[in-house]
Amino acid sequence: MRRESRRVGLILAGCLLAAGVAAAPRSAALQAGGRAACRAIAAQVDAVAGDGPLLLRSYDAPAAGDPSADEAALATAAFSYDNALAVIALTACDRPAQARRVALALRAAALGEARLRNAYRAGPLSETGLPLPNGWWDAAEGRWVEDAYQMGTATGNVAWTALAMLAIAARDDDPAWRAAAVRLAEWTLAHSADTRGDGGFDGGVHGFDAAPQRLRWKSTEHNADLAAVFGLLARGADAERWRIHAAQARSFVAAQWDAAQGRFRVGTQSDGVTPNESTSGLDAQLWPLLLPDAPAEWWRALAWAERQHGVRGGFDFNADRDGIWSEGTAQAILIYRRAGRSSEARAAYAELPPVRSASGYLDATDRPSITTGLAIGPDSTTDDFRYYRRPHLGATAWLVLGAYRFNPFTLGER
């Protein structure tokens, strides 16, 4: 369907080019893609009967022969980040009933557990009213297995879940939404705040409750997320306190700006001070531009990303440019549209892989897999965090945000 619509769009564009109005159908294609992405996410919510809370599976099953086919950890995983994005995307495209069902499940996790998990089991909530931890039966080992990363708590995932709570709170006067956002923000203050080096907040916690490991590196992206959360909280009660913490996170982001190169460093090494120069993350370049009143100089990071991460009109996660990262390319669409660069937004949209799945989700990448240069956890001995070519909720949600020009850091405001 997607491939055919693109072919028809190109035919229409060619016809209208002669009439001098070539931009219209290409812009319409992006808008249509955003609406289709919105319908796809909403349909996955509606597929679960009733109106009760639920979490959406982050990845559909891969096609036969794809390298992630044996990734049991992904089969039923509902990552908190992806579901938070789904809430914000459904809010952006005016699907409040579906947004609320996912948000209720995230709120239950935020208020009912000691800490938010990076992932839960997809589906309706358990009889306890809480999301279930994700896991799977390992037939070879004869036991139930859970994943240390999924059971952990990354600071950025906490921040994005708080953003989802605030997105619903902006349209629903139930005080429990803000209470959940505050609870999540307070967790980061208690468990991630860091005075080393340029301050800011570290990576969070990895692993199981019995022996959690503090992640002592710091991420530019995580701190940008928190700057947005604290800034939004500052619009309500305890405004001055939240403004102080917003400045704390934003100061770390500013310290990662490399003016000579016109780009952001990805963060620090585990000492919390030494810059991490081993890799470059696209989100570290783009997300600071979504913060309110981002300095004009920071927009040079977009040009750096185009040079270092660009793959045709789209983008890779890191600078090895081994494939299109759909999620990041959709993020770039939003950035381009905010900058008034419509032609680049349309070009990036044209490079997204065609929809192959019955769900209507975008594949996470256009290749069997792409690298990120990052490790899944502190026990990893290689940069084993990869994206695979399987339909991805998070990438689909970012396309909605890009098509609807909805800034998740300001909840749609300019």
Side-chain angles (χ1 to χ4, degrees):
M1 176 177 170
R2 166 72 179 285
R3 185 180 294 109
E4 180 64 19
S5 68
R6 183 179 295 171
R7 186 175 70 84
V8 172
L10 289 173
I11 292 171
L12 289 172
C15 294
L16 289 172
L17 180 60
V21 288
R26 295 181 68 192
S27 296
L30 173 56
Q31 301 303 319
R35 290 193 295 271
C38 173
R39 289 194 298 271
I41 299 172
Q44 293 302 303
V45 178
D46 292 340
V48 179
D51 58 2
L54 77 156
L55 293 174
L56 296 174
R57 187 170 64 179
S58 289
Y59 293 95
D60 286 352
D66 278 358
S68 66
D70 61 350
E71 288 284 340
L74 297 180
T76 56
F79 286 93
S80 299
Y81 166 75
D82 293 326
N83 279 267
L85 279 173
V87 170
I88 299 169
L90 290 167
T91 300
C93 62
D94 198 25
R95 299 291 185 116
Q98 291 88 349
R100 190 173 189 276
R101 291 184 69 185
V102 181
L104 283 169
L106 290 174
R107 189 174 80 179
L111 295 177
E113 290 203 278
R115 57 184 172 94
L116 185 83
R117 308 294 174 179
N118 289 330
Y120 296 92
R121 190 172 185 84
L125 299 195
S126 68
E127 294 180 358
T128 67
L130 294 173
L132 291 168
N134 189 48
W136 62 97
W137 179 256
D138 188 313
E141 296 188 17
R143 66 185 182 93
W144 185 258
V145 178
E146 293 174 348
D147 180 80
Y149 171 78
Q150 293 183 9
M151 293 298 287
T153 304
T155 297
N157 296 337
V158 175
W160 275 96
T161 305
L163 287 171
M165 299 296 97
L166 293 170
I168 297 291
R171 293 158 176 78
D172 184 333
D173 59 6
D174 183 348
W177 296 117
R178 180 180 169 91
V182 168
R183 172 80 179 272
L184 292 164
E186 294 283 8
W187 187 92
T188 67
L189 296 177
H191 299 280
S192 300
D194 194 330
T195 59
R196 298 171 301 162
D198 295 310
F201 295 80
D202 68 23
V205 172
H206 177 82
F208 303 95
D209 290 346
Q213 295 175 264
R214 180 82 175 263
L215 299 173
R216 301 297 286 164
W217 46 262
K218 289 183 279 190
S219 161
T220 302
E221 172 247 304
H222 287 185
N223 280 269
D225 305 341
L226 284 177
V229 170
F230 297 145
L232 290 169
L233 287 174
R235 298 179 180 183
D238 298 325
E240 182 58 27
R241 176 174 180 252
W242 294 119
R243 276 195 290 269
I244 290 171
H245 294 311
Q248 179 184 359
R250 188 170 175 133
S251 177
F252 178 83
V253 174
Q256 303 315 302
W257 175 248
D258 184 333
Q261 297 191 55
R263 58 106 176 184
F264 288 95
R265 301 181 187 91
V266 73
T268 76
Q269 298 181 21
S270 59
D271 64 4
V273 177
T274 305
N276 182 354
E277 304 284 3
S278 65
T279 190
S280 171
L282 180 65
D283 47 11
Q285 309 309 318
L286 299 185
W287 292 8
L289 309 184
L290 297 174
L291 290 171
D293 302 318
E297 185 184 27
W298 286 6
W299 281 84
R300 293 169 54 205
L302 179 55
W304 192 89
E306 290 170 333
R307 294 192 303 271
Q308 299 296 323
H309 294 255
V311 180
R312 303 184 297 276
F315 291 85
D316 187 14
F317 184 98
N318 62 356
D320 67 4
R321 295 185 289 182
D322 59 347
I324 294 284
W325 180 40
S326 300
E327 182 182 332
T329 299
Q331 293 164 17
I333 290 171
L334 174 59
I335 296 294
Y336 279 138
R337 299 198 69 210
R338 293 192 69 238
R341 295 172 60 180
S342 298
S343 61
E344 288 91 340
R346 294 192 299 267
Y349 174 70
E351 293 302 331
L352 289 172
V355 171
R356 303 182 302 155
S357 67
S359 70
Y361 284 177
L362 284 174
D363 282 345
T365 180
D366 67 336
R367 306 292 174 86
S369 70
I370 61 172
T371 64
T372 66
L374 301 175
I376 292 176
D379 299 327
S380 298
T381 57
T382 63
D383 53 344
D384 54 355
F385 176 28
R386 305 178 70 92
Y387 282 96
Y388 298 98
R389 187 174 56 195
R390 58 192 300 170
H392 183 207
L393 171 60
T396 309
W398 269 109
L399 177 56
V400 173
L401 299 181
Y404 283 79
R405 201 182 173 198
F406 190 95
N407 184 346
F409 281 2
T410 62
L411 302 184
E413 297 178 15
R414 182 67 181 173

